[in-house]
Amino acid sequence: TYTILKTQLTSLTFNAAGGADSLTVDFTNGSPVPASGVSFDGGSGSTGNLLVVDGGVTADTATLNTSSLTFNSSAAITYTNTQSLTLNTGAGNDVVIQSAQPNAAVTFNGGTGTDALNVNSGTELEVCSGGMTVSTTVFSGGLSPTSSPRRDD
């Protein structure tokens, strides 16, 4: 076991080999992300690479882009060769903002609060599940209030 203070780390990089690999970034006790971020490369040749972000017990905010996400104002978590991205938020009123179409299928598992998913212009909604309340969701761009997002409970 090796222990180092988070303040002494500038970044974390995970380069996985072949096979189905996963990385979980857990915000339960605050941000584990160093000042220059986290990078996850699931490795080539696999179709089962997964990045999981677990939220805390208060309101969480995640912003998704093409190949990165920020969570609760942390430094960026970047990902490549990753097929699935799962966001598990906690009990607060959580918000996920999809600013660009992610390079991975996204699952948003809302907690027990009133959660919102904001899909910005030029992006497509992938997957929503859990406690998301559709009535609080703000859609812009190609989606209209009459659009029917997929919702899985």
Side-chain angles (χ1 to χ4, degrees):
T1 302
Y2 180 75
T3 304
I4 187 171
L5 293 173
K6 181 179 138 185
T7 55
Q8 294 177 319
L9 287 173
T10 57
S11 65
L12 289 171
T13 300
F14 300 91
N15 292 313
D21 302 300
S22 66
L23 173 67
T24 299
V25 182
D26 189 344
F27 284 78
T28 301
N29 295 311
S31 176
V33 178
S36 295
V38 172
S39 175
F40 174 61
D41 183 343
S44 61
S46 176
T47 59
N49 296 323
L50 169 67
L51 174 60
V52 177
V53 178
D54 290 333
V57 295
T58 60
D60 295 311
T61 300
T63 302
L64 305 175
N65 290 298
T66 304
S67 59
S68 69
L69 71 105
T70 57
F71 201 83
N72 294 341
S73 301
S74 70
I77 301 169
T78 61
Y79 58 91
T80 57
N81 297 311
T82 303
Q83 289 73 38
S84 298
L85 171 62
T86 300
L87 302 172
N88 299 314
T89 58
N93 297 333
D94 307 309
V95 177
V96 174
I97 302 163
Q98 185 171 310
S99 296
Q101 183 64 39
N103 286 334
V106 177
T107 301
F108 171 32
N109 296 312
T112 57
T114 301
D115 304 316
L117 174 64
N118 299 319
V119 179
N120 293 326
S121 179
T123 66
E124 297 176 10
L125 179 63
E126 288 287 334
V127 178
C128 301
S129 65
M132 187 182 86
T133 304
V134 176
S135 63
T136 64
T137 304
V138 176
F139 295 100
S140 62
L143 295 174
S144 67
T146 59
S147 298
S148 298
R150 178 180 166 184
R151 181 181 171 163
D152 298 322
D153 284 317

